[in-house]
Amino acid sequence: MSKPPPGKPIVILGGGGHARVVIDALRCAGYVIAGVIDPKPDVAATLPEGITWLGKDLSSTRPDEVQVAIGVGSIDVGARNPRPMVFAEAKAGGFQILSFRHPSAIVAGDVALGEGSQIMAGAILQTGV
């Protein structure tokens, strides 16, 4: 889980409650956030200060200019869970999905995390995870 290259900001996919948690974790970890992409323009009114709505989809965003973080929470399991679809669409578009952890998280040295992993504030991941 490395920091993005200088000048390569993060775009959050999704603008609901989980996105606000992701934004906080990324800000605390020192990442630069370009904004949020969400199909509903009205999310702009609920975003944290300094975070802008960038549009409805990734079509105007280029993979060589940004990384993406998934801001869609898991509302359900199985077919109704939109998170895997958002991940797959971003990957199909050539985007790297950021893995990150909140600075207050405790992660054992041998923990292996996959692409798109999100370790939030206060989490403890013991050895062997």
Side-chain angles (χ1 to χ4, degrees), residues 1 25 100-102 105-107 113 117-121 123-125:
M1 292 184 298
F100 63 89
R101 72 183 206 194
H102 190 281
I106 299 169
V107 180
L113 300 171
S117 297
Q118 301 177 352
I119 313 302
M120 298 304 180
I124 299 173
L125 297 178

Side-chain angles (χ1 to χ4, degrees), residues 25-54:
L26 291 173
R27 281 179 160 174
C28 288
Y31 288 88
V32 174
I33 301 171
V36 168
I37 292 178
D38 191 286
K40 297 175 267 176
D42 58 331
V43 303
T46 65
L47 295 173
E49 186 175 331
I51 302 295
T52 38
W53 178 71
L54 300 173

Side-chain angles (χ1 to χ4, degrees), residues 67-96:
Q67 291 185 77
V68 297
I70 306 298
V72 175
S74 297
I75 60 170
D76 200 349
V77 295
R80 289 179 24 130
N81 183 353
R83 212 176 149 91
M85 182 184 70
V86 170
F87 186 96
E89 286 175 4
K91 288 302 291 178
F95 290 90
Q96 177 185 353

